[in-house]
Amino acid sequence: MSTKENPQISLVGAGPGDVELISVKGLNRLKKANVVLYDALVNEELLTYAPTARKIFVGKRKGFKAYEQEQINQLMVDSANEFGHVVRLKGGDSFVFGRGMEEILFARQHRIPTEVIPGISSSISVPALAEIPVTHRGISNSFLVLSATLADGSLNPELKKATELNATVIILMGITQLPKIVELYQTANKGQIPVSLVYNGSLETQQEVFGTIDTIIEQNEQVSVSGPGVIVIGEVVSLAGNYHEKVFSESSSCCIS
């Protein structure tokens, strides 16, 4: 067990939500933690693996921030100096839109030993759990992962460039920007491209909405669903089980699974 004289920070990716999708190494670090700083997308059931650790929620959700990023950085370092081993627990993978490197660099500036334990990113695992491959021979040779929204709340301008590619496009933090994303693809005359919205990926409440660029907004409005979602755009979406039945069957009025 780490002590006050032995500060250490472990940056651990918790995976997409299912507690079983954290790595064995990440789980072992949790068990040895003196302090756990965890984010909003972390499944809180994981905290039971650190029964004696101090648990501090530092996440942000829908505009609410428990702490600013600068405060999280300082809290992480202060906790390591005072208590020893700190696990910084982040959803998905810490280096995929998780600001993990910012935290590592701050810790290094304060001479705190650090380690990075990768997590399963929702960008590829959530499509996989919906039976959507991000690449497939003869259909898609590459994939692109984008955040829909910049730090100031504006639409990521790289989304426009993505409409020019044949790659699978995976968009995180994009559900609220869906109308603008659809408009970009329609302007590029790509209204028939298959699309899936996967909500609450890896959890028991996981739900998928299927459609095309031209229909996905209407399809999404027909269902009652909430929670974090991943947008997948590309021909690979059509490989998902029963995709054509869900999207194109005249006898079906709903496309949610």
Side-chain angles (χ1 to χ4, degrees):
M1 178 74 71
S2 297
T3 66
K4 180 179 178 180
E5 292 75 26
N6 184 28
Q8 176 188 357
I9 294 172
S10 298
L11 187 67
V12 178
D18 183 339
V19 294
E20 293 185 296
L21 292 179
I22 191 173
S23 68
V24 173
K25 191 170 187 177
L27 199 61
N28 286 338
R29 292 301 184 272
L30 264 181
K31 293 175 181 178
K32 297 178 181 178
N34 301 113
V35 180
V36 180
L37 307 181
Y38 66 100
D39 283 345
L41 292 179
V42 169
N43 190 325
E44 293 191 10
E45 187 179 338
L46 286 171
L47 301 179
T48 62
Y49 290 93
T52 62
R54 295 169 179 257
K55 289 96 170 175
I56 305 173
F57 175 75
V58 294
K60 47 186 175 289
R61 198 80 182 124
K62 294 183 178 178
F64 167 78
K65 293 182 180 180
Y67 294 86
E68 296 294 337
Q69 185 61 50
E70 293 74 14
Q71 294 174 308
I72 295 172
N73 294 347
Q74 192 63 56
L75 179 60
M76 185 176 62
V77 166
D78 291 345
S79 296
N81 282 325
E82 183 174 358
F83 300 107
H85 185 200
V86 173
V87 166
R88 179 68 175 99
L89 191 62
K90 302 168 79 73
D93 180 83
S94 305
F95 283 1
V96 181
F97 304 121
R99 304 185 75 168
M101 197 64 208
E102 295 179 37
E103 297 174 359
I104 288 293
L105 291 173
F106 188 85
R108 286 180 184 171
Q109 290 172 3
H110 291 78
R111 302 182 184 278
I112 305 293
T114 62
E115 66 172 343
V116 177
I117 300 175
I120 298 176
S121 173
S122 62
S123 63
I124 56 175
S125 63
V126 168
L129 290 165
E131 297 186 353
I132 301 170
V134 296
T135 62
H136 187 80
R137 186 171 58 176
I139 296 179
S140 176
N141 297 318
S142 58
F143 65 93
L144 181 67
V145 181
L146 296 168
S147 171
T149 309
L150 301 182
D152 62 2
S154 63
L155 188 71
N156 185 348
E158 293 180 355
L159 285 165
K160 186 177 185 301
K161 296 179 182 179
T163 66
E164 303 171 4
L165 304 176
N166 291 323
T168 304
V169 177
I170 300 144
I171 304 172
L172 307 182
M173 298 169 282
I175 297 297
T176 59
Q177 300 278 24
L178 184 61
K180 294 181 180 178
I181 295 168
V182 165
E183 183 179 357
L184 287 176
Y185 274 86
Q186 288 176 330
T187 300
N189 295 315
K190 293 188 174 181
Q192 296 305 309
I193 293 179
V195 183
S196 180
L197 313 179
V198 187
Y199 291 91
N200 302 310
S202 82
L203 302 177
E204 292 183 358
T205 54
Q206 175 174 316
Q207 292 178 298
E208 304 102 39
V209 180
F210 291 99
T212 65
I213 287 292
D214 285 340
T215 68
I216 193 62
I217 292 177
E218 180 182 358
Q219 300 286 21
N220 195 42
E221 290 174 348
Q222 290 178 6
V223 300
S224 177
V225 63
S226 62
V230 174
I231 302 172
V232 188
I233 302 174
E235 295 299 332
V236 291
V237 173
S238 65
L239 299 175
N242 299 322
Y243 168 81
H244 291 280
E245 176 183 345
K246 293 172 184 176
V247 176
F248 299 113
S249 174
E250 295 181 355
S251 63
S252 175
S253 61
C254 182
C255 63
I256 192 166
S257 62

